[in-house]
Amino acid sequence: MKKILSILLVLIMIVSSVSLSAFAGIDTGSCGTNLTWSFDTETGVFDITGYGAMKGYTSINHASYSQYIKLIKTVNLPKGITSIGDFNFFQCNNLSSISIPKGVVSIGFQAFRYCSNLRTIVLPENVTLDGLSFGNTGLRTIVLPRKCTLSSSAFEYTTNVTDVFFAGTKEEVSKNLTIGSYNTGISGATNKHYCEVVTTEATCTTPGAVTYMCMDCDASFVTEETPRHGPHL
């Protein structure tokens, strides 16, 4: 009897070990013709490498990484990516950090909807946002470029935004940007900052930066930093 129990105990340990190892470590897959993803289940970091457009879906359940969507904490996108597709990070409710590269020209339908832990988003120049792309998120800060195209519902149901940083004067923003009646994340923000965008070049002693500086108050937001360079590194 003891021998049988010992064998059962060993089998249980082996099965448990296999089950845990299958869900630990790094998994990889494809998310576009020339894009691949890798996910570290221990750190929650989701890396994409390659170039071109991310594949869109009619549901997040169709994505090859769907089993990890609620575990993703940080997304790293390559400079060569050109679009984020429909539902790509839908209900990614542990996502707290993502930087959208300059080359991204479109963000798809409900791409980041229900990302409840996402607090800040900086959008690149000339990007187009589809419906509910940032709907129902936890965003507190939104930074908009001089030129972008927003669906009338891109930020719908995102209701806790405290600061929106616009590039340019109020008159310039009104001319270049159509907010849309359902973009409550922008129209309902506590503070709207109309900013001068100041670029500071890096030197050997100080890093460079691109800073949105409000023309009406002391608020500012650094959207980009470049490392210092030269002999004093």
Side-chain angles (χ1 to χ4, degrees):
M1 184 66 178
K2 289 182 179 180
K3 186 175 182 180
I4 294 174
L5 289 174
S6 297
I7 293 172
L8 287 173
L9 183 59
V10 170
L11 288 173
I12 290 170
M13 291 175 67
I14 291 172
V15 170
S16 298
S17 176
V18 170
S19 298
L20 288 172
S21 64
F23 202 64
I26 296 177
D27 196 4
T28 61
S30 173
C31 55
T33 303
N34 297 298
L35 291 170
T36 58
W37 61 266
S38 66
F39 179 63
D40 188 325
T41 58
E42 295 181 357
T43 63
V45 175
F46 187 87
D47 289 309
I48 295 178
T49 56
Y51 60 93
M54 279 190 78
K55 181 180 179 181
Y57 305 97
T58 55
S59 165
I60 187 57
N61 296 328
H62 298 154
S64 58
Y65 50 87
S66 61
Q67 69 269 38
Y68 303 121
I69 200 68
K70 294 184 182 297
L71 302 177
I72 296 172
K73 298 177 181 178
T74 299
V75 172
N76 295 319
L77 301 175
K79 291 182 179 180
I81 191 171
T82 57
S83 71
I84 298 169
D86 296 351
F87 289 95
N88 276 171
F89 298 101
F90 181 82
Q91 289 186 334
C92 193
N93 50 25
N94 277 312
L95 175 64
S96 61
S97 176
I98 184 169
S99 178
I100 311 293
K102 292 180 180 179
V104 172
V105 295
S106 66
I107 297 176
F109 181 64
Q110 300 197 50
F112 292 95
R113 193 176 188 187
Y114 297 115
C115 289
S116 55
N117 274 314
L118 190 61
R119 294 292 181 262
T120 301
I121 197 69
V122 178
L123 296 175
E125 201 77 35
N126 297 314
V127 70
T128 295
L129 271 59
D130 207 340
L132 293 165
S133 50
F134 289 94
N136 301 84
T137 66
L139 286 170
R140 300 292 189 272
T141 301
I142 299 170
V143 183
L144 298 172
R146 290 188 182 278
K147 292 184 179 180
C148 65
T149 302
L150 306 180
S151 160
S152 62
S153 63
F155 292 94
E156 190 173 5
Y157 306 121
T158 291
T159 58
N160 294 312
V161 177
T162 56
D163 296 278
V164 177
F165 290 84
F166 298 95
T169 65
K170 189 173 183 178
E171 291 73 23
E172 289 172 332
V173 171
S174 298
K175 180 180 179 181
N176 296 328
L177 187 64
T178 301
I179 303 299
S181 56
Y182 296 105
N183 273 316
T184 49
I186 297 176
S187 60
T190 307
N191 303 301
K192 300 181 183 71
H193 305 286
Y194 298 93
C195 304
E196 179 183 3
V197 182
V198 178
T199 300
T200 306
E201 298 297 331
T203 68
C204 58
T205 56
T206 58
V210 176
T211 306
Y212 277 57
M213 302 182 69
C214 184
M215 301 176 193
D216 302 312
C217 69
D218 294 331
S220 63
F221 191 93
V222 177
T223 62
E224 184 180 341
E225 290 185 310
T226 53
R228 59 195 180 95
H229 58 80
H232 298 292
L233 285 177

